[in-house]
Each structure stands twice: as C-alpha cells, then as structure tokens.
Amino acid sequence: MLFVVALVVLLAMNRQRVFLRDPLGKAYRNDAQLPGVRVYINYSNDVLVEETDRQRTYVVQGWNRIPGLPQALTCLRGMLCWTDADRARQAPLEAVGASPDTEMSDREVSFKERDGTRVRITLR
C-alpha cells in the first residue's frame, strides 16, 4: 500500500516527464496507418511516438512544437516512458526542417516532414 502511494506521489510530481501509453493512439503517414507504433502522452498532451518497425522514437512537445529525438529517455516495455526534464532535451528529427508547421490539439498532432510527407498522430 505504501508503495502505491509513493508511486502516485512520484507520478504527480513528475507529470510533465512521465509519458503513459495511449492504447487507442494511432499514427499515420500520408493517411496510411503505421503498423507497430506505440503512442504515449503526458499530462500536458505532449506526444511520444515509438515506431518499432523503423527503430525510431520521437517527441512533440507543446512548448516548442518541433518534432525531435529525445536525448534522454527511459521506458518500461510498452507501458510508460520518462524523460530527463519537464522540457525534454531533443535533437531535431532528421527528416523535419526548421519549421515543420506542427498542429497540436488534445486529440491530434500533425506535422509535415521535409519531403512533404504528412505525419498525423491521433490520441485516445
């Protein structure tokens, strides 16, 4: 019981850093659903996407809206992930230019890659 209380307090204190798996989340590339994708969200509806087929994980945060590769990320297999800070350090996603034209809402995140490919992530 004490462990559960401690875990809840820890999650509440780090709610910006902890991304929980959204089992209903999906990712699309040019309106074709991507297979083998895991979508995670945090308290602020920042999105973390794990593309298992491409061995790539990227994050889109509301404060900068630039898709990027998280620099420090730890995951518990398919359940949750956490970053190093509330504003996770990230490197620009290789296929995205400086201005990816990202749109974010509480139900969807979308951006355009440099080659014109449209990526859309739906939540819940």
Side-chain angles (χ1 to χ4, degrees), residues 60 65 100-105 108-112 118:
V60 182
R65 295 180 181 227
D101 190 28
T102 302
E103 297 175 17
M104 290 185 79
S105 71
E108 185 175 288
V109 175
S110 62
F111 60 90
K112 192 179 291 185
R118 193 79 180 156

Side-chain angles (χ1 to χ4, degrees), residues 59-72:
V59 64
V60 182
Q61 300 175 89
W63 68 275
N64 70 355
R65 295 180 181 227
I66 297 176
L69 304 170
Q71 297 298 297

Side-chain angles (χ1 to χ4, degrees), residues 18-23 25-26 37-43 45-52 57-60 73-82 109 121-123:
V18 177
F19 289 81
L20 298 174
R21 176 124 185 245
D22 181 358
K26 294 177 178 56
V37 172
R38 294 183 187 131
V39 177
Y40 302 83
I41 58 174
N42 72 358
Y43 178 78
N45 281 336
D46 298 336
V47 176
L48 179 75
V49 179
E50 183 180 28
E51 293 183 17
T52 55
T57 301
Y58 54 91
V59 64
V60 182
L73 182 69
T74 307
C75 293
L76 293 176
R77 186 169 177 92
M79 292 177 30
L80 65 94
C81 295
W82 62 91
V109 175
I121 300 126
T122 59
L123 308 171

Side-chain angles (χ1 to χ4, degrees), residues 74-100:
T74 307
C75 293
L76 293 176
R77 186 169 177 92
M79 292 177 30
L80 65 94
C81 295
W82 62 91
T83 59
D84 59 337
D86 289 349
R87 292 183 171 184
R89 294 179 297 130
Q90 64 187 39
L93 191 60
E94 60 201 7
V96 176
S99 178

